[in-house]
Amino acid sequence: MEYDFRSIEQKWKSYWKENNVYKVTNDSSKPKYYVLDMFPYPSGAGLHVGHPLGYIASDIFARYKRLKGFNVLHPMGFDAFGLPAEQYAIETGQHPAKTTEQNAERYRQQLDNIGFCYDWSREIKTSDPHYYKWTQWIFLQLFHSWYDKKLQKARPIKELIALFEKEGNSMLPCAADATFCFDAKAWKSWTDQEKREALMHYRLAYLGYADVWWCEDLGTVLANDEVVNGVSERGGFPVERRRMRQWFLRITDYADRLLEGLEGLEWTEAMKEMQRNWIGKSAGAEVRFDIQDLYGKHITVFTTRPDTIFGVDFIVLAPEHEMVDLITTEDQRSAVEDYKKYVKSRSERERMSEVKQVTGRFTGAYAIHPIAHRVIPIYISEYVLVGYGTGAIMAVPSGDSRDHAFAKHFDIPITNIFGNLYNGQEAYTGKEGKLDNSGFLNGIEIKKAAQVAIRAIEDADAGRAKINYRLRDAGFSRQRYWGEPFPVVYVNDVPYAIDEQALPLKEEQRELPVKLPMVETYKPSLTGEGPLANIPSWVNVPTATGTGRRETSTMPGYAGSSWYFLRYMDPHNEKTFASRKATDYWQEVDLYIGGTEHAVGHLLYSRMWTKVLYDLGHIGFDEPFKKLINQGMIQGSSRYVYRLRGTNEYVSYGLKDKMATDELRVDVNIVDGLELDIEAFKKWRPEFADADFILEDGKYFCGAGIEKMSKSKYNVVNPDDIVAQYGADTFRMYEMFLGPIDVSKPWDTKGIEGVHRFLKKMWRLFFDEKGWIVNDEAATPEELRVLHKTIKKIGEDIE
RNA sequence: GCCCUGGUGGCGAAAUUGGUAGACGCGCAGGACUUAAAAUCCUGUUGGCAGCAAUGUCAGUGCGGGUUCAAGUCCCGCCUGGGGCACCA
């Protein structure tokens, strides 16, 4: 009897389906285990052999845990909102909902074909109104919350209002603007609108302003990576920075907890490090420098090296810094204006590619050193960034290489505070040794001097210790169609959440979800708003006091994926995003498998949302993913043919170096190993139909190279083909066999034969030519010993 | 530049807390079965030296040192592949 994997696999797949074998209940006396894959974005191209790698690993683990007596939650769904579907819609006019549906269906078939044990009764799609209803609901929770820095947790905005009524914001300084202060009396005197504006500075989801790339010709807002060399990637039109009102999530408030939370997680060090870098915590000090001849005006800088305070020889501001216009002297004004224009004309890319070049201008103004009381010049330069720290630095040329280069370029005298350690040629950036020429810091170890310096700065009332983060608040608005609409209505330009009683709305209008309407065109509106702005009947909402206007942007791709792991726990609940009972039972994801590309996007936002929901008492855990494994990429192995230049004649790999040839990629599916199937090649594309060949030993050999698997490189291997030829078990086993789960490796169909043979041998243990050969004879002790050793080994390996 | 990772046969790779390096597979070589081929099965496969042979022996996990009875594994310094961040003050 042959190993007939087709009928075996077919039999069990049908059995699983008919009997709902993998349906999981939330009521079980067994211990729980939650194994999750990063859900895919269902693109039109379908799955290739690289996608299932992580799914196979998680599937094996889920099955293993189930056999070990755990109640295992192992669901799958689709991250269905997103730009590609919208772009496809613009090109073809097909509604994204329809193409997304079709693609998801195709994915589902391909996944089933590989024999995964997902509980499909829990399937979710982020574009489903039953799902995004709760994405919108979570947005409302964010909108109605603020972050209490003292308690280090999110609290309802009502409690903040109560505090404001009692004591103003004196104890709760505003994160965005420290000068924004008011007392209880002022608060009470304000109009509702003024109060709402003040609260906007505290909400976890808030409306702010951001510079975005605006392209007049395309009539749309572009993402950073859609702008190349100062023009739009598509069409090459000019772009400009435009200030737009956008929603943000106040993720910066969670910076410390996001950082500390990493400690307890079983993630790879690389992954944790990426998040740490992204959060970018650095400890140092803010120091105030008074400006000469401008009484009461000062510049605040941030430094991580307060110990080098005596080495400050000048101040540098970002060209966009708000003080620049004020302090620039008349004879420097035109030079400064020219420089600002020059900086504005340069794209991010240009700035990055010319890192070594020193540029800048003297403002003509001077600052007074708060400790040494020296007078030092103030410059502007693009190497200081507005977005980081205070947008101003104290330059210490003897201790910082960029400051050093700047000082040399502008002939600014350099104060040496490191004695022999500084050689006059290159800044001393080390931290070994003692300070010199530094007043009361003289002779103190560099490493210990920071504390002393900060105390002195505080005593002089010139600044304070300060922790700075690189992390920015997360932009949460997209001027697009295919995403979750915001549950927000503006009345006289004041934003209200639709569940607020202050918004005079009919009760039925308050209900979630705010459904995404059908549109005629997916193109953005002329004003730079999203396509939704083109639908007056949807945008305009009657209220008791006049006409309200809906928010016309939609939420970004990461909105739906920031909490989907919770919905799987209770996917059909219409009353809440997931019952407390369900989330208490399943808790956090025990094992999460997915690619590294989400290191700082999805994984950081999910962590924040989880913490917010935890703070507000909706769930009982504050980290979403306990253990994370990153599967590597399976690369494609491309095949090349070599065409004699200017002809339709193809020369085999071993002979190509003797002639002038052009390299062409050829579909890997018509190449066996390296040998080209010439007949299939001729049929592949019409232009090859009458191709001629120069052969080696009667065969045509292709060249090979490893690159990313992609349709355009003709190196895509479809799992369906492999399953059809060898069976799902062989395919699954081979993917696991290719190498360690977490590194990238090329797909090579050759080796699959070995795995297939192994399975055949395995089959032979139980069947011979006549059929089933297993009998009821008792096993010998020796046989039992081998069996149990094997079971033990398999268990340990899987863990 | 900074941070994180890895470097083991011809190839993909194993090797638990420091304890027989190279499991398993690919490829290759030889053999069995066959008129022949495919499929299947068996044997060999890190290198040097010795031996007709079974085998013995020395060397060997990127390079150079070190700790240890014992190092692929731990420590120090270099070389190098991959990934991430990057005028971040």
Side-chain angles (χ1 to χ4, degrees):
Chain A
M1 238 175 118
E2 274 293 301
Y3 168 46
D4 182 2
F5 54 84
R6 285 187 192 90
S7 60
I8 297 168
E9 288 175 6
Q10 199 46 54
K11 177 185 161 190
W12 289 108
K13 270 184 246 177
S14 324
Y15 179 84
W16 294 342
K17 203 165 184 179
E18 280 157 27
N19 296 281
N20 288 321
V21 176
Y22 296 116
K23 199 164 160 56
V24 184
T25 67
N26 287 359
D27 303 297
S28 171
S29 53
K30 293 181 197 167
K32 71 96 188 184
Y33 201 87
Y34 188 176
V35 184
L36 184 65
D37 294 302
M38 286 187 187
F39 63 166
Y41 176 81
S43 80
L47 291 170
H48 62 60
V49 289
H51 295 115
L53 177 65
Y55 305 158
I56 293 168
S58 65
D59 195 66
I60 289 169
F61 203 75
R63 286 168 185 272
Y64 168 76
K65 278 289 179 183
R66 195 173 286 127
L67 292 173
K68 280 277 199 177
F70 288 83
N71 188 33
V72 177
L73 178 57
H74 185 44
M76 181 47 91
F78 299 98
D79 188 12
F81 274 135
L83 206 48
E86 183 161 338
Q87 272 164 346
Y88 189 72
I90 292 171
E91 285 160 26
T92 66
Q94 284 204 63
H95 196 274
K98 201 175 152 198
T99 53
T100 305
E101 189 64 35
Q102 287 165 352
N103 293 342
E105 184 54 33
R106 169 110 193 274
Y107 269 57
R108 168 81 199 266
Q109 278 167 10
Q110 285 188 300
L111 291 170
D112 280 346
N113 198 22
I114 303 168
F116 292 123
C117 63
Y118 295 122
D119 177 359
W120 283 105
S121 72
R122 292 173 185 257
E123 175 184 354
I124 56 175
K125 281 193 198 77
T126 52
S127 60
D128 182 343
H130 295 286
Y131 180 85
Y132 69 66
K133 170 182 178 176
W134 298 108
T135 309
Q136 292 171 338
W137 180 85
I138 295 173
F139 171 82
L140 292 179
Q141 306 310 303
L142 291 160
F143 181 81
H144 292 311
S145 306
W146 62 290
Y147 195 79
D148 184 330
K149 293 236 162 75
K150 264 190 224 91
L151 297 180
Q152 283 286 307
K153 64 178 280 200
R155 297 173 63 185
I157 205 89
K158 275 187 226 146
E159 298 176 15
L160 182 67
I161 294 170
L163 283 168
F164 283 171
E165 282 169 354
K166 221 169 81 193
E167 56 183 36
N169 77 341
S170 55
M171 303 303 285
L172 307 155
C174 173
D177 182 3
T179 61
F180 179 67
C181 298
F182 57 86
D183 57 17
K185 207 174 146 199
W187 170 263
K188 283 176 190 152
S189 72
W190 284 346
T191 63
D192 278 353
Q193 190 172 330
E194 284 168 329
K195 284 179 183 167
R196 293 186 70 84
E197 269 169 34
L199 290 173
M200 220 24 131
H201 288 113
Y202 290 85
R203 295 182 192 275
L204 288 181
Y206 66 97
L207 205 50
Y209 289 90
D211 284 336
V212 293
W213 290 108
W214 167 255
C215 179
E216 189 71 47
D217 296 81
L218 292 171
T220 184
V221 171
L222 300 172
N224 267 334
D225 47 328
E226 290 175 303
V227 178
V228 182
N229 295 326
V231 295
S232 67
E233 189 181 25
R234 205 152 33 94
F237 301 113
V239 295
E240 59 176 64
R241 294 301 260 174
R242 191 184 260 199
R243 235 169 140 63
M244 281 184 74
R245 223 175 177 195
Q246 305 264 305
W247 286 97
F248 290 89
L249 300 187
R250 210 177 290 283
I251 193 169
T252 47
D253 279 349
Y254 278 87
D256 262 324
R257 277 172 67 191
L258 289 169
L259 205 55
E260 283 158 20
L262 287 172
E263 297 306 318
L265 299 177
E266 295 170 54
W267 294 15
T268 59
E269 202 42 49
M271 203 48 103
K272 290 185 185 179
E273 199 58 31
M274 270 189 249
Q275 293 220 339
R276 279 187 207 116
N277 285 343
W278 191 258
I279 295 166
K281 181 176 183 170
S282 49
E286 264 181 8
V287 186
R288 227 170 26 245
F289 286 76
D290 287 330
I291 298 166
Q292 195 179 34
D293 301 331
L294 267 175
Y295 180 73
K297 296 290 176 191
H298 50 78
I299 287 167
T300 304
V301 303
F302 172 72
T303 179
T304 54
R305 295 290 304 274
D307 47 309
T308 63
I309 186 79
F310 283 94
V312 177
D313 288 320
F314 53 99
I315 298 284
V316 188
L317 305 182
E320 302 89 342
H321 194 281
E322 55 185 10
M323 295 290 283
V324 173
D325 288 339
L326 183 71
I327 63 170
T328 301
T329 57
E330 279 319 307
D331 48 331
Q332 291 296 323
R333 188 159 305 273
S334 68
V336 165
E337 287 304 318
D338 284 350
Y339 185 71
K340 283 172 75 175
K341 245 180 243 158
Y342 155 79
V343 170
K344 208 174 180 182
S345 73
R346 280 155 61 80
S347 69
E348 305 255 323
R349 249 163 237 246
E350 278 175 312
R351 283 177 73 154
M352 271 190 237
S353 61
E354 295 167 22
V355 163
K356 293 287 170 290
Q357 210 179 323
V358 178
T359 65
R361 286 289 185 279
F362 178 44
T363 60
Y366 292 86
I368 296 158
H369 193 293
I371 307 288
H373 307 293
R374 282 187 289 143
V375 170
I376 53 178
I378 304 172
Y379 283 76
I380 59 170
S381 174
E382 59 179 337
Y383 86 89
V384 177
L385 310 173
V386 243
Y388 185 78
T390 59
I393 62 157
M394 55 177 229
V396 183
S398 56
D400 182 286
S401 50
R402 291 155 312 177
D403 297 346
H404 194 265
F406 196 86
K408 288 276 178 194
H409 188 264
F410 288 97
D411 270 329
I412 305 166
I414 295 171
T415 305
N416 177 16
I417 54 167
F418 299 108
N420 295 333
L421 296 167
Y422 170 65
N423 59 15
Q425 296 304 310
E426 221 178 315
Y428 176 72
T429 54
K431 283 197 154 189
E432 297 298 326
K434 291 174 179 173
L435 289 163
D436 183 32
N437 202 10
S438 288
F440 55 84
L441 294 175
N442 278 341
I444 297 181
E445 294 274 347
I446 297 173
K447 281 177 190 157
K448 293 175 183 158
Q451 284 313 312
V452 183
I454 288 172
R455 220 173 301 131
I457 291 163
E458 282 172 349
D459 288 347
D461 196 26
R464 63 199 171 100
K466 163 95 182 174
I467 307 241
N468 196 53
Y469 299 92
R470 203 184 73 98
L471 185 71
R472 300 274 78 110
D473 278 342
F476 201 65
S477 297
R478 298 291 182 269
Q479 283 66 44
R480 307 280 182 188
Y481 169 70
W482 193 231
E484 300 87 349
F486 282 83
V488 167
V489 169
Y490 296 84
V491 177
N492 298 325
D493 232 24
V494 180
Y496 293 87
I498 60 166
D499 61 344
E500 287 185 279
Q501 288 308 317
L503 177 68
L505 212 58
K506 285 191 200 134
E507 275 313 307
E508 65 265 27
Q509 293 274 31
R510 294 190 191 281
E511 274 169 30
L512 292 176
V514 176
K515 278 197 187 158
L516 193 58
M518 295 296 275
V519 290
E520 300 286 324
T521 165
Y522 305 99
K523 297 223 168 74
S525 81
L526 296 173
T527 54
E529 289 180 278
L532 290 176
N534 296 327
I535 318 170
S537 62
W538 182 81
V539 171
N540 297 317
V541 191
T543 70
T545 54
T547 303
R549 192 177 148 77
R550 288 191 193 278
E551 169 65 57
T552 56
S553 57
T554 54
M555 299 185 198
Y558 65 80
S561 61
S562 290
W563 73 280
Y564 76 109
F565 59 94
L566 295 170
R567 187 63 177 171
Y568 284 133
M569 298 174 185
D570 194 5
H572 307 295
N573 197 322
E574 290 294 323
K575 295 201 177 68
T576 169
F577 67 99
S579 72
R580 185 63 197 253
K581 195 174 157 227
T583 57
D584 278 349
Y585 176 67
W586 290 110
Q587 300 269 319
E588 79 273 63
V589 175
D590 293 287
L591 177 67
Y592 194 34
I593 298 188
T596 39
E597 65 272 23
H598 300 106
V600 286
H602 162 61
L603 287 169
L604 204 58
Y605 300 127
S606 302
R607 293 183 59 219
M608 179 203 169
W609 286 41
T610 304
K611 287 178 192 300
V612 174
L613 290 173
Y614 169 79
D615 288 351
L616 298 176
H618 296 298
I619 54 175
F621 47 94
D622 86 331
E623 281 290 344
F625 314 117
K626 193 156 129 200
K627 179 168 184 168
L628 174 71
I629 293 178
N630 300 110
Q631 93 271 19
M633 245 195 325
I634 292 192
Q635 296 149 318
S637 184
S638 303
R639 294 290 179 270
Y640 309 100
V641 293
Y642 303 90
R643 180 171 62 195
L644 283 177
R645 195 154 296 158
T647 70
N648 201 15
E649 193 169 4
Y650 299 84
V651 54
S652 185
Y653 180 75
L655 306 169
K656 74 171 171 74
D657 290 341
K658 296 176 188 130
M659 309 167 216
T661 56
D662 294 313
E663 188 178 75
L664 300 172
R665 285 198 187 82
V666 58
D667 189 344
V668 285
N669 296 299
I670 58 171
V671 180
D672 178 20
L674 290 173
E675 188 188 343
L676 181 69
D677 181 337
I678 290 174
E679 289 313 309
F681 179 69
K682 285 182 174 178
K683 281 184 209 137
W684 184 40
R685 295 237 225 113
E687 69 252 44
F688 301 132
D690 50 357
D692 290 319
F693 301 89
I694 300 174
L695 306 176
E696 289 173 85
D697 305 329
K699 291 172 180 169
Y700 188 98
F701 293 104
C702 298
I706 290 164
E707 50 195 352
K708 199 176 168 192
M709 200 171 273
S710 122
K711 227 177 176 178
S712 63
K713 298 189 172 87
Y714 307 115
N715 60 4
V716 173
V717 181
N718 187 326
D720 296 344
D721 297 340
I722 303 293
V723 170
Q725 198 177 347
Y726 297 101
D729 281 318
T730 302
F731 173 67
R732 293 163 59 110
M733 196 162 161
Y734 181 58
E735 288 232 348
M736 289 299 96
F737 186 79
L738 272 172
I741 177 87
D742 53 354
V743 301
S744 293
K745 56 240 159 187
W747 175 263
D748 173 16
T749 308
K750 273 266 154 188
I752 202 167
E753 294 281 352
V755 171
H756 193 55
R757 271 201 287 271
F758 173 84
L759 284 175
K760 278 195 204 170
K761 281 186 224 169
M762 174 107 175
W763 165 264
R764 284 278 151 61
L765 292 176
F766 303 96
F767 291 85
D768 64 7
E769 286 73 14
K770 294 178 207 76
W772 188 241
I773 56 169
V774 178
N775 58 38
D776 294 337
E777 256 175 63
T780 66
E782 183 59 21
E783 282 166 351
L784 277 175
R785 211 173 71 86
V786 171
L787 179 66
H788 286 127
K789 257 173 96 171
T790 308
I791 291 170
K792 180 163 181 274
K793 173 96 171 97
I794 289 170
E796 284 168 359
D797 283 356
I798 290 174
E799 298 270 4

